[in-house]
Amino acid sequence: MEIPVDWYLALSALLFLLGVIGVLFRRNVIIILMSIELMLNAVTISLVALSQATGDVSGQILVFFVMSVAAAEAAVGLAIVIAI
């Protein structure tokens, strides 16, 4: 049994929406950083789902770049929070 791509895209949209809500309505910097990470994870889910559906590996390669940006964002953001 194979799960349709639409379900992955719906999950990605839901996670991205939760991340946007967290960024817009929270004032805590740690929660905002976690919400940005949630949005980046939603993008990676959609990239992997679409690249799997089309049979092209370029979306999966792009996920590695998104993951490196997420790691750098977490490190720099946490350093700024600790410095403040």
Side-chain angles (χ1 to χ4, degrees), residues 14-84:
L14 180 69
L15 287 177
F16 195 84
L17 181 66
L18 286 174
V20 168
I21 289 171
V23 167
L24 291 178
F25 294 122
R26 296 293 182 163
R27 292 198 178 261
N28 190 356
V29 178
I30 301 293
I31 301 296
I32 291 173
L33 289 175
M34 287 172 48
S35 297
I36 292 172
E37 291 290 330
L38 193 62
M39 288 189 291
L40 287 172
N41 286 333
V43 170
T44 58
I45 289 173
S46 65
L47 281 172
V48 169
L50 290 174
S51 78
Q52 184 69 27
T54 60
D56 189 18
V57 295
S58 61
Q60 294 176 5
I61 293 171
L62 189 58
V63 167
F64 287 117
F65 293 112
V66 171
M67 288 172 51
S68 63
V69 167
E73 178 262 332
V76 170
L78 195 58
I80 290 171
V81 168
I82 290 173
I84 292 175

